[in-house]
């Protein structure tokens, strides 16, 4: 059975930026991400910390973008 995700990026070109953000956040939190990109051995807690911080950053970026428009 193949692993298919139904999640689709609205802006497919954002993949590289999101990957870069993932590595930056993990480094700031002191969480090592393997160079090969396989995160199957990462704890759920660590993955949650990374994802939560990425979401927090994206929300802050959107808020800043919206406030600069007004």
């Amino acid at each position: 059975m193949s692993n298919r995700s139904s999640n689709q990026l609205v802006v497919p070109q954002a993949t590289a930026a999101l990957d870069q953000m993932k590595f930056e956040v993990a480094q700031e939190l002191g969480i090592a991400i393997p160079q090969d990109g396989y995160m199957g051995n990462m704890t759920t807690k660590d993955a949650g910390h990374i994802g939560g911080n990425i979401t927090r950053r994206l929300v802050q970026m959107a808020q800043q973008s919206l406030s600069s428009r007004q």
Side-chain angles (χ1 to χ4, degrees), residues 52-68:
N53 279 282
I54 289 173
T55 302
R56 188 175 296 115
R57 278 191 185 185
L58 292 172
V59 168
Q60 288 173 345
M61 290 167 64
Q63 289 174 335
Q64 288 173 352
S65 175
L66 289 172
S67 67
S68 68

Side-chain angles (χ1 to χ4, degrees), residues 15-70:
T15 302
L18 290 171
D19 283 342
Q20 180 63 32
M21 188 180 292
K22 176 174 48 180
F23 283 100
E24 290 174 8
V25 168
Q27 184 178 19
E28 289 173 11
L29 297 174
I31 300 170
I33 294 182
Q35 291 299 320
D36 64 2
Y38 177 72
M39 292 184 262
N41 297 325
M42 182 177 289
T43 66
T44 303
K45 182 179 178 180
D46 286 345
H49 282 291
I50 294 170
N53 279 282
I54 289 173
T55 302
R56 188 175 296 115
R57 278 191 185 185
L58 292 172
V59 168
Q60 288 173 345
M61 290 167 64
Q63 289 174 335
Q64 288 173 352
S65 175
L66 289 172
S67 67
S68 68
R69 289 182 185 177
Q70 296 176 350

